[in-house]
Amino acid sequence: MKRILNTLLVVILMISCTTGDKSEVKSDVEPVKWQEVLTSKVDSINSDIVPGKLTMDVGIYFPSNFDDAFNKVTMDNMIESFVAAKEIFKPTDVQINLLWIKQGEIDPKFLAIQANKVPGIPTTGYANMYEHSYRNPAELTEQTKQAFEHIVEETEDSDRTIYLVALQDVFYPFLTVAEGRNWMMQTVRTGGLSFPSYSYPGTIPKPYRGVITISNLARPDRFRRTVAHEIGHKVMNVSHEYRETSPQHEVYADGGLMLYGNGEEIPSGEEGRWHLERLKISPYLYELGENGSKKWNADYKENGHYYDPIYGDYVIHFEGVSPIDEDW
């Protein structure tokens, strides 16, 4: 009997170890040896930061060992796109503080990553996109999780900091309708990817939840808005949507910051899908005190899905849309 009880105890311990939060289990990867660069430039960019305003902290990680043929992201256009983001967010009375710019040699196997595992359940229209993501959250690939551990330096405020990470390629796989009632997997080569909480609720280790990858700022239409757009996903916690336009995987239209187009508006009120209101209660924001202290907004209560309780009434309850013929 004692042997049986001991065996049962071992089995229970094994189950408890394998069914916990896998997102918090660390891999054995060596951290990058980062060096701060362009410190005077950082000081100049931050010259407009004043106490008493809602503020977000952003750090820039820029690898020093890109392949010679890669020119989609340069130090200059990363900085200029960041400065443009400050201008775009300025009308909201939210300021963006650049913590630092760091450069270092990363493991070449992380220069290109597949962001998440191939999803198994497509959106069928019975629930809207946000509800579907809450039920079936995206999950990082092991490679991407290791890349984040390799690149991001953990600090007390890691989970409140936004990290702009320049990489050569970040691929995002998703399911789309092939024909009739059949789905197929496609992969998009991203110019920027925000890893937003509405898509990854609770599946990204907390110290790395602020990562945004940037891999193409070369085109004029990408240059001005990419960093601001990706920060918008992170801090407003919304997808590609605008006023009457419900979120979709890709929406090309002239409108607000969160569509693919030329718009820069961050609208307010229910007709604006509460973008401004959601921004101002983001857990990535704090009120800057006169002495440099930070009074942080409340954190997510349910891992940051779109309908997380911190948002209260600042949500839109919209119908899902079936991607296939209802007579299937």
Side-chain angles (χ1 to χ4, degrees):
M1 178 63 72
K2 183 176 180 181
R3 181 179 296 176
I4 293 173
L5 289 174
N6 286 339
T7 302
L8 286 172
L9 178 60
V10 170
V11 171
I12 290 170
L13 287 172
M14 289 176 65
I15 292 173
S16 67
C17 289
T18 57
T19 58
D21 185 356
K22 295 181 182 178
S23 70
E24 299 300 331
V25 179
K26 280 199 169 186
S27 307
D28 185 18
V29 294
E30 290 293 324
V32 178
K33 295 179 181 178
W34 295 107
Q35 296 291 327
E36 286 194 36
V37 297
L38 303 174
T39 53
S40 60
K41 183 73 172 178
V42 172
D43 290 341
S44 175
I45 290 171
N46 288 334
S47 61
D48 62 341
I49 300 296
V50 296
K53 286 190 174 184
L54 285 171
T55 307
M56 68 180 88
D57 285 342
V58 176
I60 294 176
Y61 286 125
F62 199 92
S64 60
N65 57 322
F66 284 133
D67 290 323
D68 292 341
F70 178 72
N71 59 8
K72 297 293 186 184
V73 182
T74 67
M75 183 69 83
D76 285 345
N77 65 21
M78 176 72 98
I79 292 172
E80 290 184 45
S81 192
F82 173 85
V83 171
K86 284 174 64 81
E87 296 172 1
I88 290 169
F89 277 87
K90 190 172 183 178
T92 70
D93 218 25
V94 171
Q95 52 191 3
I96 306 180
N97 176 54
L98 182 57
L99 289 175
W100 33 254
I101 300 170
K102 293 185 178 181
Q103 197 158 26
E105 185 172 329
I106 75 171
D107 190 320
K109 70 184 178 185
F110 297 132
L111 289 172
I113 59 175
Q114 177 180 311
N116 52 280
K117 299 175 183 177
V118 176
I121 302 175
T123 303
T124 57
Y126 295 126
N128 70 41
M129 191 188 81
Y130 294 133
E131 292 165 337
H132 177 81
S133 293
Y134 180 46
R135 299 173 190 178
N136 305 279
E139 297 182 64
L140 301 179
T141 61
E142 185 60 28
Q143 178 203 29
T144 295
K145 182 171 174 289
Q146 290 180 6
F148 289 179
E149 294 171 2
H150 176 61
I151 292 168
V152 175
E153 304 157 293
E154 290 191 41
T155 66
E156 181 181 356
D157 295 333
S158 292
D159 60 327
R160 304 284 196 155
T161 303
I162 295 171
Y163 300 103
L164 297 179
V165 180
L167 294 178
Q168 288 182 181
D169 271 314
V170 179
F171 296 100
Y172 180 83
F174 61 97
L175 295 174
T176 186
V177 174
E179 183 180 0
R181 56 192 175 96
N182 300 315
W183 271 262
M184 64 180 178
M185 191 276 284
Q186 289 190 351
T187 298
V188 62
R189 188 184 197 185
T190 66
L193 190 62
S194 58
F195 298 89
S197 291
Y198 65 78
S199 286
Y200 298 81
T203 62
I204 297 179
K206 202 170 180 180
Y208 316 122
R209 69 180 185 181
V211 170
I212 293 173
T213 55
I214 303 293
S215 45
N216 189 352
L217 296 174
R219 282 184 5 209
D221 59 325
R222 293 185 185 276
F223 175 74
R224 165 88 181 161
R225 298 174 70 255
T226 296
V227 167
H229 176 88
E230 299 306 331
I231 288 177
H233 281 308
K234 189 75 79 178
V235 295
M236 289 183 263
N237 204 15
V238 300
S239 184
H240 302 113
E241 59 170 44
Y242 177 70
R243 298 190 181 276
E244 294 84 16
T245 305
S246 293
Q248 300 175 43
H249 181 65
E250 293 179 330
V251 186
Y252 293 88
D254 290 328
L257 178 63
M258 301 318 299
L259 297 183
Y260 290 149
N262 296 318
E264 298 182 357
E265 182 191 9
I266 299 174
S268 64
E270 185 174 7
E271 68 280 1
R273 304 188 75 89
W274 304 114
H275 285 186
L276 181 62
E277 290 80 4
R278 291 174 67 90
L279 163 65
K280 291 196 171 185
I281 58 178
S282 169
Y284 293 98
L285 270 60
Y286 60 87
E287 186 175 302
L288 181 62
E290 291 284 348
N291 59 355
S293 61
K294 301 177 181 181
K295 182 181 178 182
W296 291 99
N297 283 348
D299 202 356
Y300 298 126
K301 295 182 179 180
E302 293 179 0
N303 295 318
H305 61 90
Y306 175 82
Y307 295 103
D308 192 292
I310 69 164
Y311 294 114
D313 294 330
Y314 299 145
V315 297
I316 303 294
H317 296 280
F318 57 98
E319 298 296 322
V321 178
S322 176
I324 67 173
D325 191 325
E326 287 295 337
D327 293 331
W328 67 274

